[in-house]
Amino acid sequence: MTQHLDPRSPWVISTHDLGKRPGTMRQMSLTLPASADLGVDMIGVPKDAEVELDLRLEAVMEGVLVSGTAQAPLTGECARCLDPLSSDIEVDLQELFFYSDEDASEDDSLLDGELLDLEPTFRDAVVLALPLSPVCRDDCPGLCTECGIKLAEAGADHRHEKIDARWASLQGLVSENDNDQEK
C-alpha cells in the first residue's frame, strides 16, 4: 500500500507544470518551516525555523531531478564547554524522484502522481552535514575534568593537587602533629 502525499504540506511540491517532457525545467525559491527532530544530539535545526531553498526541478526520462541548496539556522551546545551556540548551515540537495517504481530501486524516491516530498531529502542532507561534536570556537578548552569549571574563565593557572595513586594509601599515616614535630 502506497502512502499518498498531502498536497497542502509545505514540503510537498507539485511537478505538474513540468509534465513528463524531458528537458523542461523550473527554478524556484522557497522559505519553508523546519520539521521537528532535525538534528543530532548536540546541534540541530530548530522546529519551525525558516529554511531557505533555491531549487531547480528538471524533467528527465526516469522522473524529476531536484537539485539546489538549502540554508537553515542551527542551535545547540558546545561539546566541550556546554555553552549554547548558534550558526547557519548550507547544504546541497540533489535527488531523482522516479515516475514509477519499475525504474527505481528500494531506496530511491518516487513521485506520488505529480507530487514529490522534499523533506526527507533535506533531512538527510542536513543530518549528514552536522558536526557530531560542535564547538563554540576551534580553541575552546572545555571544562575541567576535576571540578567542572569552564577552563576559558579559570585561566591558565587553574590546577588541582594530584596525588600519585601508588602513594595515596599512605596519605593518612602522617598526621598534622607529626609534621609539626619534625619542624
Side-chain angles (χ1 to χ4, degrees):
M1 182 176 147
T2 59
Q3 178 180 339
H4 291 290
L5 298 176
D6 180 0
R8 296 169 298 192
S9 171
W11 287 88
V12 173
I13 297 171
S14 172
T15 62
H16 175 76
D17 58 333
L18 297 177
K20 288 189 177 181
R21 298 179 309 273
T24 55
M25 183 186 78
R26 175 178 75 188
Q27 291 194 308
M28 57 193 314
S29 294
L30 301 167
T31 301
L32 301 177
S35 59
D37 301 325
L38 193 56
V40 293
D41 289 342
M42 302 290 286
I43 195 164
V45 178
K47 183 179 179 347
D48 295 326
E50 289 187 350
V51 178
E52 294 180 22
L53 299 157
D54 286 316
L55 302 173
R56 184 170 83 186
L57 281 66
E58 195 173 351
V60 295
M61 292 297 289
E62 302 86 9
V64 176
L65 177 65
V66 178
S67 55
T69 59
Q71 291 181 309
L74 293 176
T75 60
E77 59 185 28
C78 177
R80 295 181 190 160
C81 69
L82 304 179
D83 275 351
L85 58 87
S86 61
S87 65
D88 293 311
I89 190 168
E90 181 174 331
V91 293
D92 292 325
L93 304 175
Q94 185 165 15
E95 186 78 26
L96 177 59
F97 291 84
F98 287 88
Y99 291 126
S100 71
D101 54 6
E102 295 169 7
D103 298 328
S105 67
E106 187 177 326
D107 295 331
D108 289 333
S109 300
L110 289 173
L111 285 166
D112 179 6
E114 296 177 333
L115 301 176
L116 60 86
D117 186 2
L118 201 54
E119 197 273 334
T121 302
F122 172 69
R123 175 184 301 276
D124 291 348
V126 166
V127 171
L128 289 173
L130 289 175
L132 293 177
S133 298
V135 290
C136 56
R137 60 182 209 264
D138 289 339
D139 63 343
C140 176
L143 302 175
C144 174
T145 57
E146 301 288 323
C147 65
I149 192 170
K150 290 182 186 170
L151 293 173
E153 296 171 3
D157 58 343
H158 179 77
R159 288 187 174 57
H160 295 275
E161 183 180 329
K162 294 195 178 179
I163 300 172
D164 189 333
R166 297 171 292 184
W167 299 102
S169 59
L170 299 176
Q171 190 76 18
L173 296 178
V174 179
S175 68
E176 293 290 326
N177 292 338
D178 292 342
N179 284 340
D180 291 341
Q181 290 175 357
E182 292 175 2
K183 291 181 181 176

